[in-house]
Amino acid sequence: MNYIIIALQIIVGISILNVWLIQNNKATKWRGGNAKTLLEEFRVFGLSKQMCYIVGFFKVTLAVLLICAIWFPVLKQPAAFGLAVLLSGSVVMHFKINDPLIKSFPATFLLTLCLIIAFI
C-alpha cells in the first residue's frame, strides 16, 4: 500500500507542477470558459492576477512538499490537505461559471487523490 501512496504523491505533485510551471501559458481543453492561459482562466473565474500568483505559489509549494513527503512523511498529510483545499476551490470555480463537468475533471480527480493520500 505504501508504494501506491508514493505513486499517488508523485502523480499529484508532478501534475500540479506541470500545470503551473510548464503548461501555464498553453491552451488546454480543461481551461475554464474560453481561457487560453492560466492567467486568463483566473480572469474568467473573476479572480485577479495577484490571486493567480498567490494560488500558484501555494500549489507549487504544496506539490513540492508532497513529493518531499516521500522522504519526510510528516509533510504528507498537511501537503495533501492543503492541495485538497485549493483543488476544491478549482472545482467550485468551474461550477461558478457553468463550465461543462468535463472541464472540472482534472481538479476533481487530483482532489480525490489528495484525499486518499491524506487519509491513508
Side-chain angles (χ1 to χ4, degrees):
M1 182 58 88
N2 192 39
Y3 289 115
I4 293 170
I5 297 302
I6 289 171
L8 296 181
Q9 287 173 248
I10 293 168
I11 290 166
V12 171
I14 289 175
S15 296
I16 298 291
L17 294 174
N18 178 53
V19 168
W20 282 88
L21 301 177
I22 297 171
Q23 303 292 328
N24 61 334
N25 287 317
K26 296 179 182 171
T28 73
K29 65 182 179 179
W30 313 110
R31 298 260 183 246
N34 293 319
K36 302 283 188 250
T37 68
L38 203 51
L39 189 55
E40 284 179 25
E41 186 174 30
F42 269 71
R43 288 189 188 121
V44 168
F45 291 152
L47 301 171
S48 68
K49 182 178 182 179
Q50 292 78 12
M51 185 59 73
C52 180
Y53 293 142
I54 291 167
V55 169
F57 170 79
F58 283 109
K59 279 194 175 181
V60 167
T61 301
L62 290 168
V64 169
L65 290 175
L66 191 61
I67 293 169
C68 289
I70 295 167
W71 299 278
F72 304 99
V74 69
L75 300 172
K76 183 177 78 164
Q77 196 169 35
F81 273 131
L83 282 171
V85 168
L86 293 171
L87 289 162
S88 296
S90 300
V91 172
V92 168
M93 287 297 161
H94 282 287
F95 282 112
K96 175 186 169 194
I97 64 167
N98 295 316
D99 265 344
L101 282 178
I102 192 69
K103 287 200 175 200
S104 64
F105 174 76
T108 304
F109 180 67
L110 292 176
L111 167 60
T112 302
L113 295 183
C114 283
L115 293 174
I116 291 169
I117 292 165
F119 286 113
I120 294 179

